Amino acid sequence: MSQASKNLVEGVITFVIGLALRLFTDGVELPVFTLTNVGVTLMCIGGVLVVMGLFKTARKSDSVKGSQG
């Protein structure tokens, strides 16, 4: 599995976990932070990982096209 694929999978999983925390932990508060804020943070991190995976996939396909022609 390439690094781009790993980033995509990790990003989607992280985003889904963050979304679940955001949707289903409203009202749960810990002494330092709320789980809703943790969910939003995980969604942002997951989004960044997905974008990085897509970028690496696009760069890899561009380099393959460039070497053929």
Side-chain angles (χ1 to χ4, degrees), residues 20-66:
L21 284 173
R22 173 72 176 99
L23 293 176
F24 301 117
T25 61
D26 193 28
V28 177
E29 295 185 17
L30 299 175
V32 178
F33 47 81
T34 62
L35 290 179
T36 305
N37 289 340
V38 173
V40 171
T41 304
L42 286 175
M43 288 171 57
C44 292
I45 293 169
V48 168
L49 285 172
V50 168
V51 168
M52 284 176 46
L54 291 173
F55 180 73
K56 286 182 180 183
T57 302
R59 280 195 65 183
K60 188 168 102 175
S61 66
D62 285 344
S63 66
V64 170
K65 287 179 186 176

